[in-house]
């Protein structure tokens, strides 16, 4: 039996623009996924895969032969996606799951899937660990995107991430003082956002994005050089305004929380998943404010962030 662990992610700054080389600040979460693997010598060869939700319930399972051909799957789309990742892993490491043994892989999340903390990125990172290959290489063979979430899956704290060129990521640990987020609250809006739809909208606004990107990149860089609380809230407001103007969408603060006494910022694709809220007065009870509005999943930094 082998056990592997990968962290979820939150993209604090740089959403959408990270695809085109903008600096991005991302933070791994305490929540994530674990993969338990087992192998033995029996008559049956191949791989049995089982996925469990945060309640321990099976929501997906599939069987693959030794050549990773799909024998049976409870969800065809998920089965084909998993097969694609496994085959990509074997293309990098030809010996992966090809030892004539029976293998089992059981993956379990410790958070509700609808939170959008990165079930695909953690899956890729876990399979890469299992196959003994680089997670980023596996990601770019299997999917499109920036890859910041893959970097987060194996990080032990906040990171600064940038695509220096196509499929050429650079990232490093970012020493953000944790106390800057002491009064922050992270709120799940109750709606899982489709990242592909958000990215498609961003690409449709490419002319506006090209003009806005260096402005956001410079603002993020300036705050990194002097990371204080006031600068953080100013960067939140600046980022929301810039992305709102670029995408032609209202900010979540204007739409849902116009009376909140502070700053609110979308994290990741706009319109769903989590937002970060920081009150102007550090003593303001943000948890009470959001729960009074019916948002029961409001988490403090020590609960959510690694």
């Amino acid at each position: 039996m082998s056990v592997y662990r990968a962290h979820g992610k939150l993209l604090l700054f740089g959403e959408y623009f990270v695809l085109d080389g903008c600096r991005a600040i991302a933070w791994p979460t305490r929540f994530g996924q674990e993969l338990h693997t087992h192998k033995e010598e029996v008559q049956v060869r191949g791989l049995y895969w089982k996925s469990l939700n945060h309640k321990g319930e099976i929501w997906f399972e599939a069987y693959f032969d030794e050549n990773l051909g799909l024998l049976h799957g409870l969800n065809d789309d998920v089965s084909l996606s998993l097969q694609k990742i496994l085959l990509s892993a074997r293309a990098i490491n030809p010996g992966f799951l090809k030892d004539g043994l029976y293998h089992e892989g059981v993956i379990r999340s410790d958070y509700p899937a609808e939170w959008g903390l990165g079930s695909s990125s953690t899956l890729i990172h876990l399979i890469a660990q299992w196959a003994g290959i680089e997670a980023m290489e596996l990601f770019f063979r299997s999917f499109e995107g920036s890859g910041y979430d893959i970097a987060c899956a194996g990080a032990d704290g906040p990171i600064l991430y940038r695509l220096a060129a196509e499929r050429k990521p650079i990232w490093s640990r970012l020493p953000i003082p944790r106390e800057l987020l002491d009064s922050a609250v992270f709120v799940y809006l109750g709606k899982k956002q489709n990242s592909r739809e958000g990215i498609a909208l961003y690409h449709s606004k490419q002319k506006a994005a090209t003009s806005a990107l260096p402005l956001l990149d410079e603002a993020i860089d300036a705050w990194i050089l002097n990371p204080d609380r006031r600068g953080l809230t100013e960067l939140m407001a600046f980022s929301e305004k810039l992305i709102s103007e670029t995408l032609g969408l209202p900010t979540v603060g204007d739409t849902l929380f116009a009376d909140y006494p502070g700053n609110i910022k979308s994290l990741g694709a706009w319109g769903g998943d989590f937002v970060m809220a920081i009150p102007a007065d550090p003593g303001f009870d943000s948890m009470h404010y959001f729960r009074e509005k019916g948002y029961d999943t409001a988490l403090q930094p020590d609960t959510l962030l690694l």
Side-chain angles (χ1 to χ4, degrees):
M1 173 83 68
S2 296
V3 180
Y4 307 96
R5 173 78 183 172
H7 305 296
K9 48 71 184 176
L10 285 175
L11 184 57
L12 270 60
F13 294 102
E15 65 268 35
Y16 301 117
F17 293 99
V18 65
L19 294 164
D20 293 322
C22 183
R23 291 174 179 84
I25 297 175
W27 207 306
T29 67
R30 294 184 181 275
F31 298 100
Q33 293 197 112
E34 278 191 355
L35 174 63
H36 295 243
T37 67
H38 169 74
K39 62 182 178 180
E40 58 183 300
E41 188 173 357
V42 295
Q43 286 186 326
V44 179
R45 299 177 180 180
L47 168 66
Y48 166 59
W49 181 278
K50 180 168 63 176
S51 297
L52 309 178
N53 64 19
H54 68 292
K55 296 179 180 179
E57 302 163 337
I58 299 174
W59 67 269
F60 167 74
E61 62 180 343
Y63 299 86
F64 301 89
D65 62 27
E66 191 179 15
N67 294 318
L68 297 179
L70 181 61
L71 299 175
H72 172 69
L74 283 182
N75 184 314
D76 288 344
D77 290 339
V78 177
S79 299
L80 293 174
S81 180
L82 175 59
Q83 182 187 41
K84 180 180 180 181
I85 298 170
L86 292 170
L87 287 170
S88 295
R90 180 173 287 181
I92 301 170
N93 176 7
F96 177 52
L97 299 180
K98 205 170 185 181
D99 51 11
L101 301 178
Y102 167 76
H103 293 263
E104 287 187 359
V106 180
I107 190 170
R108 179 170 182 170
S109 297
D110 57 16
Y111 64 92
E114 62 268 19
W115 282 10
L117 296 181
S119 56
S120 295
S121 55
T122 49
L123 171 63
I124 289 172
H125 200 278
L126 290 168
I127 290 177
Q129 292 179 70
W130 189 13
I133 59 179
E134 290 293 329
M136 202 64 76
E137 182 179 1
L138 178 59
F139 168 73
F140 283 123
R141 276 180 177 260
S142 309
F143 293 93
E144 295 181 355
S146 70
Y148 85 87
D149 46 358
I150 306 298
C152 260
D156 61 0
I159 62 170
L160 180 65
Y161 185 92
R162 183 170 69 89
L163 278 176
E166 185 178 3
R167 300 190 174 189
K168 298 292 183 183
I170 299 172
W171 71 94
S172 59
R173 183 74 152 75
L174 192 60
I176 301 175
R178 175 62 78 106
E179 59 268 20
L180 293 182
L181 295 176
D182 281 351
S183 60
V185 171
F186 296 87
V187 185
Y188 175 60
L189 298 182
K191 177 184 176 184
K192 178 70 179 74
Q193 185 66 15
N194 188 317
S195 297
R196 286 187 292 272
E197 293 177 0
I199 291 171
L201 175 61
Y202 168 75
H203 284 317
S204 73
K205 309 287 186 178
Q206 203 60 49
K207 184 177 179 180
T210 299
S211 300
L213 189 154
L215 301 178
L216 182 59
D217 189 63
E218 291 171 8
I220 292 173
D221 187 45
W223 182 72
I224 290 171
L225 295 174
N226 184 27
D228 59 12
R229 187 178 186 278
R230 178 178 177 181
L232 175 61
T233 56
E234 290 176 348
L235 180 57
M236 290 171 66
F238 179 79
S239 176
E240 288 290 275
K241 182 175 185 295
L242 190 69
I243 295 174
S244 173
E245 293 172 349
T246 301
L247 300 182
L249 295 175
T251 67
V252 67
D254 289 341
T255 303
L256 299 176
F257 309 113
D259 61 341
Y260 180 73
N263 294 92
I264 295 180
K265 185 189 179 302
S266 292
L267 303 179
W270 278 32
D273 297 346
F274 277 85
V275 298
M276 176 172 64
I278 298 181
D281 177 2
F284 179 77
D285 191 348
S286 293
M287 300 283 282
H288 177 74
Y289 169 88
F290 287 108
R291 286 172 178 164
E292 282 288 298
K293 287 186 173 290
Y295 296 92
D296 294 329
T297 304
L299 305 175
Q300 295 178 318
D302 286 347
T303 301
L304 181 60
L305 302 181
L306 190 65

